[in-house]
Amino acid sequence: MKRNILITGGAGFIGSHVVRLMVNKYPEYRIVNLDKLTYAGNLANLKDIEEQSNYCFVRADICDYEAMQEVFRKYDIDGVIHLAAESHVDRSIKDPFTFAKTNVLGTLSLLQAAKEYWNGNYDGKRFYHISTDEVYGALELTKPKGDPNGNECGGGPYGDLFFTEQTKYNPHSPYSASKASSDHFVRAFHDTYGLPTIVTNCSNNYGPYQFPEKLIPLFINNIRHGKPLPVYGKGENVRDWLYVVDHARAIDLIFHEGRIAETYNIGGFNEWKNIDLIRVIIRTVDRLLGNAPGTSEKLITYVTDRAGHDLRYAIDSTKLKNELGWEPSLQFEEGIEKTVRWYLDNQEWLDNVTSGEYEKYYEKMYGSR
Ligand code: NAD
Ligand code: DAU
């Protein structure tokens, strides 16, 4: 079946994996990647698919309502996968306005454009909003690390509770508050106007093409350059890590088979204390660079904690497994090895991103901005 799918934020980290998967898997679809190309958007992430005939790129700001109306009309959009957002917690602490604008008003503008264009004819239509586990707040650390399969006996390795789809929203950072607000708007458009919406809340992603401000690529890059590794607080915070391609697979499955008006949590039952994860990264990078074991341990530098730093995230994705049969395909050890290798093998990508050179890619491909 022919479909015209609008993917927002497709030049970013997760978005680029979703665009790649959809373009390659569905030659009969037209995939419209809409992105403002903020500092986080990088078209070089999509070099390998940008010439394919079922792909096109539109540079636009989701906050620009008229531009969104035009895109729906021009491409006759019948499905939306909405990833465009400001995504970095530390930036949201410094500049909350930009987060409210893009994440809340931008999402609202997209919802309104979809509602107006579809005009009550919702047959086969779908508005899928990608969100985060951070909207649920933070969990307690109630256990020292025990059985890594602890979740099977009623809890994770670091605590008894998980975030489920029933967990009440309790966001703490400006980033998570803006994402929570956008989630509410999406559900409100279903409840008020019948818009066929789906929301998913996913845990921390890692893998190729992540902007090196986030923990894993930042630390790989710093180790490569012998620079300090800034560990917030005591490094005791726990995050639940999922390989980005497994998230993209879940998005594809839910977009096609998820139930309208439902929420699905996505996560890999893979909790790590930051400091333990950092040691894994150090060991892996040192080994792949041929350094003696422990060489880069000395780069660990404890710094002032992030304001309002959530202690623990842990996602229960049982609903997704039971309803749609999704499970992560990659073990963490394999995922982290692949990820470190990718950043070491793609130093040019990292150097272009850290130097700002990547911002010229658009001009090279599409002319002046
Ligand atoms: P990212 O920062 O790497 O990419 C965001 C993309 O959105 C960029 O390409 C950027 O140019 C674009 N964008 C930003 N503002 C825009 C605007 N006003 N108009 C159009 N495009 C705009 O983010 P990511 O890590 O890939 O996250 C993608 C989505 O997934 C976000 O909604 C985020 O909240 C959510 N999410 C991320 C994670 C994670 O671990 N990274 C986990 C769960 C959910
Ligand atoms: O949980 C999903 C969320 O994961 C997404 O919604 C966000 O978009 C994404 O950025 C990510 O948020 P985090 O704040 O968890 O990711 P970050 O990589 O910034 O930090 C991971 C952990 O590492 C967190 O506990 C803070 C800590 N940290 C981070 C950085 C950048 C450090 O100790 N030092 C650092 O320099």
Side-chain angles (χ1 to χ4, degrees):
M1 189 177 74
K2 178 150 179 31
R3 298 197 70 170
N4 296 317
I5 313 293
L6 177 65
I7 301 182
T8 70
F13 166 48
I14 303 172
S16 63
H17 288 277
V18 177
V19 167
R20 176 174 298 100
L21 186 155
M22 302 287 280
V23 164
N24 286 331
K25 186 167 172 189
Y26 302 105
E28 69 280 21
Y29 289 6
R30 174 160 59 184
I31 304 297
V32 181
N33 171 17
L34 183 146
D35 201 295
K36 182 182 176 184
L37 299 182
T38 66
Y39 79 94
N42 182 357
L43 286 175
N45 296 355
L46 291 164
K47 247 186 193 162
D48 53 325
I49 58 98
E50 69 191 351
E51 303 290 349
Q52 295 202 31
S53 59
N54 62 339
Y55 169 76
C56 67
F57 175 69
V58 176
R59 186 168 193 213
D61 184 339
I62 54 168
C63 299
D64 181 345
Y65 178 54
E66 283 174 13
M68 295 308 103
Q69 288 178 301
E70 172 59 19
V71 165
F72 273 83
R73 275 197 299 266
K74 180 168 174 193
Y75 295 100
D76 187 22
I77 297 299
D78 50 33
V80 177
I81 304 179
H82 173 38
L83 296 114
E86 288 292 339
S87 69
H88 193 46
V89 174
D90 294 326
R91 286 180 190 256
S92 81
I93 295 168
K94 293 199 185 93
D95 174 20
F97 281 111
T98 304
F99 281 70
K101 191 166 169 237
T102 290
N103 298 358
V104 185
L105 295 179
T107 300
L108 179 56
S109 140
L110 208 56
L111 284 163
Q112 184 72 7
K115 166 178 143 335
E116 188 194 69
Y117 185 68
W118 294 339
N119 193 24
N121 173 14
Y122 293 144
D123 220 21
K125 309 293 195 301
R126 199 152 269 224
F127 188 110
Y128 176 6
H129 174 65
I130 309 300
S131 192
T132 169
D133 59 358
E134 300 200 10
V135 297
Y136 296 126
L139 297 165
E140 295 292 314
L141 274 182
T142 53
K143 290 186 199 167
K145 185 163 178 159
D147 173 9
N149 299 319
N151 52 309
E152 282 168 16
C153 46
Y158 293 108
D160 299 309
L161 297 176
F162 289 107
F163 297 135
T164 73
E165 289 82 359
Q166 279 71 47
T167 304
K168 253 179 71 182
Y169 274 30
N170 185 19
H172 297 132
S173 72
Y175 163 69
S176 52
S178 68
K179 290 297 289 187
S181 173
S182 65
D183 295 7
H184 290 318
F185 268 107
V186 173
R187 295 190 180 106
F189 265 64
H190 171 267
D191 296 349
T192 309
Y193 309 111
L195 200 78
T197 60
I198 296 183
V199 177
T200 55
N201 299 87
C202 187
S203 62
N204 283 63
N205 285 217
Y206 72 98
Y209 301 113
Q210 187 167 32
F211 196 83
E213 61 187 352
K214 308 283 182 357
L215 181 78
I216 292 181
L218 174 73
F219 278 35
I220 296 172
N221 197 38
N222 283 10
I223 296 170
R224 185 163 74 89
H225 291 289
K227 283 165 56 176
L229 307 175
V231 180
Y232 297 165
K234 294 183 180 149
E236 298 271 291
N237 303 64
V238 171
R239 295 290 181 269
D240 183 355
W241 295 92
L242 179 67
Y243 192 64
V244 62
V245 176
D246 278 326
H247 188 190
R249 285 176 46 247
I251 289 173
D252 171 33
L253 182 67
I254 293 164
F255 178 74
H256 288 96
E257 292 178 30
R259 286 184 294 137
I260 299 297
E262 288 292 322
T263 297
Y264 297 90
N265 280 350
I266 309 174
F269 290 110
N270 180 40
E271 292 177 59
W272 284 83
K273 244 181 208 177
N274 287 342
I275 193 64
D276 295 337
L277 172 66
I278 288 162
R279 294 214 155 94
V280 171
I281 297 169
I282 290 174
R283 272 202 302 277
T284 312
V285 179
D286 274 342
R287 176 168 50 78
L288 293 177
L289 288 179
N291 296 335
T295 305
S296 302
E297 285 273 333
K298 59 177 181 298
L299 300 175
I300 291 179
T301 309
Y302 291 93
V303 299
T304 311
D305 208 355
R306 174 185 277 175
H309 198 173
D310 287 333
L311 196 51
R312 172 175 169 250
Y313 302 145
I315 270 278
D316 181 348
S317 52
T318 308
K319 174 176 170 181
L320 180 57
K321 181 178 176 189
N322 289 348
E323 263 191 36
L324 300 180
W326 176 88
E327 278 186 285
S329 66
L330 223 59
Q331 293 296 314
F332 186 65
E333 291 65 24
E334 199 186 329
I336 204 76
E337 175 91 14
K338 253 177 117 117
T339 301
V340 172
R341 275 186 194 280
W342 188 86
Y343 286 98
L344 296 181
D345 289 347
N346 288 274
Q347 298 193 3
E348 195 187 336
W349 182 91
L350 260 179
D351 291 342
N352 278 344
V353 173
T354 45
S355 68
E357 193 61 25
Y358 72 108
E359 297 191 272
K360 297 192 184 133
Y361 192 81
Y362 178 82
E363 278 154 48
K364 224 171 32 202
M365 286 303 297
Y366 297 91
S368 62
R369 293 185 182 207

